[in-house]
Amino acid sequence: MQAIENLPPCPVETTLLLMGDKWKVLIVRDLLSGTKRFGELKKSLNGISQKVLTSHLRTMEKNGLITRKVYAQVPPKVEYTLTEVGQSLKQVHDAMLDWGKNYQHQCNTTIN
Amino acid sequence: MQAIENLPPCPVETTLLLMGDKWKVLIVRDLLSGTKRFGELKKSLNGISQKVLTSHLRTMEKNGLITRKVYAQVPPKVEYTLTEVGQSLKQVHDAMLDWGKNYQHQCNTTIN
DNA sequence: CAGAATCCGTTAGGATACTG
DNA sequence: CAGTATCCTAACGGATTCTG
């Protein structure tokens, strides 16, 4: 793997380089529940275009975050799965999930 | 607080809305070590322009993540501090930090 | 179905100059 | 020092069309 030549010294910046993107985070969110086909991802990622989805999937594959499996059949079937490294993003995802919940709660209680 | 009208139902998307930005994450990283002045932030955020830094600080303030304290003196002195909600982003930050470290390590060992 | 290839508009963000 | 005000460009991403 490793498409990126020089990783930033700061680990946080490294993470941002690989995941510092709205769509990538949401792709991980959707793949954390299991392998998905291209069409399924496109649907659950409400609003993304195939072009953008494809390009993100490609770079995430190069970076070793996901695996792309093509079935030789017509019509085509392509499945995307998180690699082990990709799976480990669950921690980051969960932290964002928890924080988002709390923030939403804060807003609801603060509004009064 | 709450500058955002309709928070997305998905907590992850809520987080992305407030923190799904390279610079904001790095601002939080720098403020987690304590209150900082505008100039200090600009310096440690290597490469950011004042315009962008200012605008991000403003929206983060509106969103209740940071506090802005202006000292009535010449030359001006402005300090930025994480609010309690902002502090709670430490969990997200730390998750990103850990993951980045691991990824960097993966790369170094995989290169052989 | 899963894309590749174009075209195109918006805009995030950098550079610069000025100010209280 | 900590901004505000402009100007300007790269590029992200949406829409559309076509194909194996």
Side-chain angles (χ1 to χ4, degrees):
Chain A
M1 67 167 171
Q2 208 220 11
I4 299 160
E5 303 304 315
N6 297 320
L7 256 33
C10 170
V12 174
E13 293 185 36
T14 292
T15 303
L16 285 172
L17 209 54
L18 303 181
M19 290 295 298
D21 182 282
K22 173 194 172 187
W23 289 127
K24 286 180 189 161
V25 173
L26 295 179
I27 289 172
V28 167
R29 175 196 64 181
D30 289 350
L31 289 184
L32 275 173
S33 59
T35 298
K36 280 204 170 61
R37 297 183 58 169
F38 184 86
E40 292 180 288
L41 278 174
K42 184 164 174 358
K43 197 173 301 176
S44 57
L45 287 172
N46 204 13
I48 196 172
S49 63
Q50 337 71 317
K51 186 189 125 185
V52 174
L53 177 54
T54 302
S55 79
H56 279 135
L57 289 172
R58 290 290 186 278
T59 68
M60 289 173 76
E61 188 189 3
K62 283 183 187 169
N63 293 339
L65 302 183
I66 62 175
T67 294
R68 181 170 180 263
K69 183 172 184 180
V70 184
Y71 291 83
Q73 64 182 47
V74 178
K77 175 182 175 182
V78 181
E79 286 183 344
Y80 292 92
T81 311
L82 288 175
T83 61
E84 204 169 332
V85 181
Q87 287 280 354
S88 69
L89 278 165
K90 178 171 165 54
Q91 297 164 21
V92 177
H93 169 271
D94 287 355
M96 294 181 72
L97 184 74
D98 288 347
W99 191 85
K101 279 185 190 170
N102 283 334
Y103 188 85
Q104 290 176 341
H105 183 64
Q106 291 282 333
C107 284
N108 288 336
T109 54
T110 310
I111 284 177
N112 306 328
Chain B
M1 67 164 170
Q2 209 221 8
I4 299 161
E5 302 305 314
N6 296 321
L7 255 33
C10 171
V12 174
E13 293 184 37
T14 293
T15 303
L16 284 173
L17 210 55
L18 302 181
M19 289 295 298
D21 182 282
K22 172 193 171 187
W23 290 127
K24 286 179 188 159
V25 173
L26 295 180
I27 289 171
V28 168
R29 175 196 64 180
D30 289 350
L31 289 184
L32 275 173
S33 59
T35 298
K36 280 203 171 59
R37 296 181 60 168
F38 184 86
E40 292 180 288
L41 278 174
K42 185 165 176 353
K43 197 173 301 175
S44 56
L45 286 173
N46 203 14
I48 197 172
S49 63
Q50 342 64 319
K51 185 189 124 186
V52 174
L53 177 54
T54 301
S55 81
H56 279 134
L57 289 172
R58 289 291 187 279
T59 68
M60 290 174 75
E61 188 188 4
K62 282 184 186 168
N63 293 339
L65 303 183
I66 61 175
T67 294
R68 180 169 180 264
K69 183 172 186 181
V70 184
Y71 292 82
Q73 61 182 50
V74 179
K77 174 181 175 181
V78 181
E79 287 184 341
Y80 293 91
T81 311
L82 289 175
T83 62
E84 203 169 333
V85 181
Q87 287 279 354
S88 69
L89 279 166
K90 177 172 166 51
Q91 297 164 22
V92 177
H93 169 272
D94 287 355
M96 294 181 72
L97 184 73
D98 289 347
W99 191 85
K101 279 185 191 172
N102 282 335
Y103 188 85
Q104 289 175 340
H105 183 64
Q106 292 282 334
C107 285
N108 289 335
T109 54
T110 310
I111 284 176
N112 306 329

